[in-house]
Each structure stands twice: as structure tokens, then as C-alpha cells.
Amino acid sequence: MRAAVFEDGKLAVVDGIEVRGPRADEVVVRIGAAGLCHSDLSVVNGTIPFPGPAVLGHEGAGVVEEVGAAVTRVGVGDHVCLTTINHCGVCPACSAGRPTMCQATFGKASKPFTRTGVDGAPEKVFSFANTSVFTERVVVKEVQAVPIPEDVPMASAALIGCGVLTGVGAVLNRAKVGIGETVVVIGVGGIGLNVIQGARIARAGRVVAVDTNPRKEETARRFGATDFVDPSGQDVIELVKELLPRGADYVFECVGHPALIRAATDMLGWSGAAVLLGVPRNDAEASFLVSGMYMDKTIMGCRYGTSHPQFDVTRYVNLYRKGELLLDELVTRTYPLEQIHEAIHDLESGSLARGVLLP
């Protein structure tokens, strides 16, 4: 089968990739749609160190084709949204209801794929983020495949698996934004748009979107932004404080730049919280003004929206079907897998909310 494989610093669509069958607690899923996320690009450009060869992609949806002997939650033919969290369910973090903190999900890159090596012998290929959806079929843990109604379009459902869980979850699960509180969102990409609509769903009072691309204003407002700031050539902190003189209750940094992390803390009002969602280089450091933190300010890390995938995916699908969560509007364009480099170009140019690959 075809797959987008990362190796030696390059990404290429190749044939001849095979995936093994399911173990007792696993399912095989035929991929219907796969979202292109900045985290995939971060592997290619070296921001996220990852070994190769590896099949990339981590935001997907599809149809279950085969199930392991111990699988009970899904069956063959079920439509599912895939999540990256293959939590164990029994460790202290899982028992405390914090599956994103399960250590079983960290640093254990598996090799469920094979290809024919240069010597003619089978060669193992890594999975990325426990999913690897830039291909035709994948094998994942049962807990990663959450059933969804068949009337939810695959291209829309795929985006729940990362962008929605991360962005909306950061608002509802991690920050717990309250009614009437003020929110600033730095970076209006796929994650930022979901933070914006998460703030709208939470009934935040004012939602300020910040981006240097003025073309993003219309989309940001459609998703729930009340204000839009283009800080090009200006002091972004002063621009935001003109709108929020007392500072923001929450600032979500969705770019992953140390200078913007510092700006996020400087935009906060008393008892405000900065939530870090963007991914800088692994060795990046950020600073903050210590004296400014004594007014009960907080800096929050956030992994995967502090999500409970089995619950949250279902919740977001229900909100979508009620018209409260925008999914179809996130899909700017779809591409065949062979056009992944065109999709990457469009993402880097800022012309996409989300591009979706159709393997």
C-alpha cells in the first residue's frame, strides 16, 4: 500500500508498505481521511526529533476492517475517529482520570509497518504518534478508535483527532475558561481556530485573535473571535492591552515561539493564565518577568488538550451535530495522498485552516 514515509530528512509517498495484523487489544482501520498538522511538518524540519523510516500523520478517521480477539468496544464496519493516546487504563495517571499523562504513551515508538529493504529482506518502519494515518491502513490500540456516527463526513471527523481535541480541550479541560472571561489566542492556524471556538462554546466574554496574516480575520471571526489584531511591525502587547486594559484572563500561545510565550505572560491580567500549545524546538527556552507573576499568574503546559478521548470525541461530535462546533468549516481543501507536498506548501503559506489528505 501507499504511505508518506519520512526518512533522512525527507518526506516521500511510496508504495510497498505493509501493516501487520491486530494483536488482541488492537484494531485495523482503513483510513478515510487524514488531517495535515504542523506537528507532522515539525518532524520533517527537525523541530520534533523522530527516527526514520516512519509513516507520518496522526489526525485521522476511517472504518474498522479487523479486530483483535479481546476487542469489545468497536466492530468491523464501524466508523471511528482515531486519537494518539494509547493509554494503559491502569496506571496512577489513568486511574486519576488523566490519560494524556499516561507514561505508556511516551517514548515508545512502535514498528507496525514493514517494507522490502535494499537487500531484499523485510525492514521495519516506525509509527508516528501511535497512529501514522498518512497511509491506507493502520493498526492501533482499541482505546484509540472512538466510534462516530456514519453521517459525520470523514474529512471533518479526522480533525477531531488532534486539532479539535487539542484546541477545544485546552479551553474546556485545561484552562476551564468561565462565562464572560477574556481570552487571547496567538496564532490562528488549525489549533488556534479550535481554541477560538472552544472559547465561544465556553461563552467567553471577549476573544481576541492575534495573527500576522490579515487574511485570517474573516475565518477567526466566523469561529468566534470578537476582535482581530495584526501586530505586523507593532508591539503586540500594547495592541492587545488597548482592547483589554486590565489584561487577559487567558492567553493561548499556539505558535511555539519563545518570544510569543513571553508576550503571552505579559498580556495577562491579575490571576490570569498563559496556556502553551505551540511546539518550539526541543531545546528552546523562554523567559518571563518574575515580578509580574506574583499577582497569581500561571503558566500552563498542555498536552493534547488534557483530553479524555473516549468522552471528548463523543462530546464534540454531539456539539457538531447541534451546529455548535464547526468542523466542515475547518476543511479548507482536500488532496490525494500523492499531493502531500502541495498540501504542505499551502499550509506553510497560511492559506489553510486545515488541509485533509484522502488516502
Side-chain angles (χ1 to χ4, degrees), residues 178-203:
I179 296 172
E181 292 186 306
T182 55
V183 170
V184 176
V185 182
I186 302 175
V188 186
I191 299 298
L193 285 173
N194 281 298
V195 172
I196 289 170
Q197 70 171 334
R200 171 176 51 77
I201 291 168
R203 297 169 63 189

Side-chain angles (χ1 to χ4, degrees), residues 140-159:
V140 297
K141 295 283 189 181
E142 174 189 14
V143 73
Q144 294 178 251
V146 184
I148 58 173
E150 293 186 13
D151 62 357
V152 181
M154 283 287 176
S156 299
L159 304 185

Side-chain angles (χ1 to χ4, degrees), residues 3-7 10-11 34 39-44 50-51 54-59 113 126-129 131-135 138 340:
V5 175
F6 168 73
E7 186 174 17
K10 298 179 181 179
L11 183 67
S39 295
D40 301 304
L41 273 61
S42 294
V43 173
V44 178
F50 200 82
V55 177
L56 295 190
H58 62 284
E59 186 179 71
F113 302 100
F126 283 102
S127 172
F128 174 62
T131 41
S132 292
V133 294
F134 291 167
T135 186
V138 298
I340 189 170

Side-chain angles (χ1 to χ4, degrees), residues 316-336:
Y316 298 152
V317 167
N318 289 337
L319 288 171
Y320 163 74
R321 298 178 84 184
K322 292 178 182 178
E324 298 177 31
L325 180 76
L326 305 182
L327 291 181
D328 303 338
E329 294 82 355
L330 282 169
V331 182
T332 309
R333 183 181 168 189
T334 60
Y335 306 78

Side-chain angles (χ1 to χ4, degrees), residues 186 236-237 241 251 253 256-268 274 276 285-293 297 299:
I186 302 175
V236 64
I237 300 169
K241 287 194 172 180
V251 180
E253 202 282 342
H257 193 292
L260 293 177
I261 293 172
R262 167 61 190 269
T265 64
D266 289 342
M267 292 176 190
L268 294 174
L276 310 186
E285 297 182 0
S287 66
F288 59 89
L289 190 64
V290 176
S291 61
M293 303 303 292
K297 296 182 182 181
I299 299 174

Side-chain angles (χ1 to χ4, degrees), residues 178-248:
I179 296 172
E181 292 186 306
T182 55
V183 170
V184 176
V185 182
I186 302 175
V188 186
I191 299 298
L193 285 173
N194 281 298
V195 172
I196 289 170
Q197 70 171 334
R200 171 176 51 77
I201 291 168
R203 297 169 63 189
R206 200 163 187 179
V207 182
V208 181
V210 179
D211 203 286
T212 56
N213 185 346
R215 293 179 297 170
K216 295 186 176 182
E217 179 174 0
E218 180 181 354
T219 304
R221 290 185 181 276
R222 182 190 310 165
F223 276 72
T226 59
D227 302 270
F228 184 88
V229 170
D230 176 0
S232 300
Q234 303 176 74
D235 187 325
V236 64
I237 300 169
E238 292 303 317
L239 290 174
V240 169
K241 287 194 172 180
E242 287 178 11
L243 298 172
L244 304 173
R246 298 172 65 89

